[in-house]
Amino acid sequence: MAGELRFRWELGGAGWASCRIADGTGEYRGHVGYGTDALADLLYAVTGLYGGASEQRVSFDLEPMELRWLFRRRESDVSIDVYEFPDGATSWGSPDETGGTLAWSSSPPRGALGHAVREAAGTVLREHGEDGYREKWMLHPFPVAALQDLRRLHQRDDGCRHESCRGDSGG
Ligand SMILES: [Zn+2]
């Protein structure tokens, strides 16, 4: 039984972010490079789990490592497997089974995943704003639309009662 799921995304210096995910039993931390639109890709992947997708993959560029997230729907839960591939230049797009090392895994309820990711992305936007984000992530703007989609679907399908998930503040 997975405990509370926690996810954080913190912009570091220009072009990288530190990412941390943890449940009651373990955590994973990595430094993600801006070679991909990593936070947006993650938001789209999690959002996809509210539609027809039963499986979603996202790869982060950890320079030179590839960090690959595999999300699989299991009824109301999502199994998350995080794989490290030592050489991203050759592993990108390869099968999960070959060459990757399972670095972290958990099976939280989908609502816990959606909530944690939404909250982390919302915190980034609050702390940096769209302009500040663009300055640090350089190649990519903050994924406003993806965050709005996730918030809407998470609230609609998970019925989250948390204040920060119930649309715009002020109500
Ligand atoms: Zn929520």
Side-chain angles (χ1 to χ4, degrees), residues 5 42-51 73 76 78 108-122 145-168:
L5 189 74
L42 183 68
L43 285 168
Y44 285 123
V46 173
T47 301
L49 297 168
Y50 289 81
R73 283 287 303 278
S76 63
V78 177
R110 185 187 61 183
L113 172 65
H115 182 82
V117 171
R118 190 217 59 76
E119 195 164 61
L147 177 56
Q148 285 171 346
D149 278 354
L150 178 58
R151 182 201 296 271
R152 179 174 55 80
L153 293 168
H154 165 58
Q155 195 187 9
R156 187 193 71 186
D157 293 357
D158 300 326
C160 187
R161 311 294 296 169
H162 198 279
E163 195 176 339
S164 64
C165 293
R166 285 184 289 161
D168 299 331

Side-chain angles (χ1 to χ4, degrees), residues 117-138:
V117 171
R118 190 217 59 76
E119 195 164 61
T123 299
V124 170
L125 182 59
R126 219 167 36 246
E127 286 181 356
H128 297 277
E130 287 185 61
D131 290 345
Y133 183 90
R134 184 65 182 256
E135 266 170 39
K136 294 207 166 194
W137 206 246
M138 298 193 284

Side-chain angles (χ1 to χ4, degrees), residues 3-171:
E4 187 190 350
L5 189 74
R6 280 159 292 153
F7 180 70
R8 294 209 61 172
W9 188 269
E10 290 181 32
L11 295 178
W16 63 273
S18 80
C19 147
R20 174 177 181 268
I21 190 163
D23 63 8
T25 57
E27 71 166 4
Y28 182 84
R29 291 168 188 263
H31 284 95
V32 183
Y34 72 129
T36 69
D37 195 0
L39 183 59
D41 292 343
L42 183 68
L43 285 168
Y44 285 123
V46 173
T47 301
L49 297 168
Y50 289 81
S54 60
E55 191 171 297
Q56 295 279 69
R57 272 182 185 71
V58 183
S59 285
F60 290 173
D61 185 1
L62 268 62
E63 302 173 5
M65 205 166 61
E66 174 191 351
L67 188 70
R68 187 181 302 174
W69 300 69
L70 175 57
F71 300 97
R72 281 172 294 192
R73 283 287 303 278
R74 296 274 185 264
E75 300 184 348
S76 63
D77 293 345
V78 177
S79 88
I80 309 170
D81 292 315
V82 180
Y83 292 93
E84 290 178 342
F85 292 80
D87 181 7
T90 59
S91 65
W92 215 266
S94 67
D96 306 319
E97 300 77 28
T98 53
T101 305
L102 184 63
W104 191 84
S105 66
S106 190
S107 295
R110 185 187 61 183
L113 172 65
H115 182 82
V117 171
R118 190 217 59 76
E119 195 164 61
T123 299
V124 170
L125 182 59
R126 219 167 36 246
E127 286 181 356
H128 297 277
E130 287 185 61
D131 290 345
Y133 183 90
R134 184 65 182 256
E135 266 170 39
K136 294 207 166 194
W137 206 246
M138 298 193 284
L139 298 178
H140 312 280
F142 184 86
V144 176
L147 177 56
Q148 285 171 346
D149 278 354
L150 178 58
R151 182 201 296 271
R152 179 174 55 80
L153 293 168
H154 165 58
Q155 195 187 9
R156 187 193 71 186
D157 293 357
D158 300 326
C160 187
R161 311 294 296 169
H162 198 279
E163 195 176 339
S164 64
C165 293
R166 285 184 289 161
D168 299 331
S169 58

